[in-house]
């Protein structure tokens, strides 16, 4: 059974930082492209950052220079370091795993106050 469990969300003031973690089980983690998506109220889910099995990374323009995605294959965990947070970063953040199938975590709320 595949499980993606996010943690690290919370309430932070604008300009602050948070680090999200996503622990995966039930998949061959090292083969998967891992991603972080977010969905704000009334908006579609959007890609925030992704990291391939070869550790190539991709970022949404809105987070470039502020967010960093990384992975630890030994711990089956992907991280999202979020710095210089803005109120518009407020959303539910979801972890995803993609190889032949897409898997999703349950999401973690990030709220940035102004």
């Amino acid at each position: 059974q595949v499980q993606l469990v996010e943690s690290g969300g919370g309430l932070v003031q604008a300009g602050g930082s948070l680090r999200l973690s996503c622990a995966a089980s039930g998949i061959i983690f090292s083969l998967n492209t891992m991603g972080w998506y977010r969905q704000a109220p009334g908006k579609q889910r959007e890609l925030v950052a992704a990291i391939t099995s070869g550790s190539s990374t991709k970022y949404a323009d809105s987070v470039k220079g502020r967010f960093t995605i990384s992975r630890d294959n030994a711990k089956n965990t992907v991280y999202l370091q979020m710095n210089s947070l803005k109120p518009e970063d407020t959303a539910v953040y979801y972890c995803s795993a993609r190889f032949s199938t897409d898997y999703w975590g349950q999401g973690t709320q990030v709220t940035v106050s102004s």
Side-chain angles (χ1 to χ4, degrees):
Q1 182 180 359
V2 177
Q3 282 193 313
L4 302 176
V5 180
E6 300 103 333
S7 61
L11 173 64
V12 64
Q13 288 188 332
S17 298
L18 284 174
R19 188 194 195 202
L20 304 184
S21 300
C22 171
S25 60
I27 58 173
I28 304 175
F29 183 81
S30 61
L31 297 182
N32 278 257
T33 290
M34 302 301 296
W36 286 97
Y37 289 73
R38 67 187 180 188
Q39 187 166 19
K43 295 188 176 181
Q44 288 189 331
R45 189 174 296 189
E46 63 173 357
L47 175 68
V48 176
I51 183 166
T52 69
S53 57
S55 294
S56 296
T57 57
K58 176 182 179 179
Y59 295 93
D61 288 342
S62 59
V63 307
K64 282 181 182 176
R66 299 189 297 123
F67 291 11
T68 302
I69 190 171
S70 62
R71 65 191 299 159
D72 186 337
N73 289 342
K75 294 183 178 180
N76 286 3
T77 301
V78 62
Y79 305 96
L80 185 68
Q81 178 67 44
M82 305 187 293
N83 299 327
S84 302
L85 282 160
K86 304 175 181 180
E88 51 264 43
D89 295 317
T90 295
V92 178
Y93 283 70
Y94 297 92
C95 174
S96 74
R98 170 176 292 180
F99 183 54
S100 57
T101 305
D102 289 344
Y103 296 102
W104 295 91
Q106 81 288 351
T108 185
Q109 177 70 46
V110 171
T111 303
V112 184
S113 63
S114 58

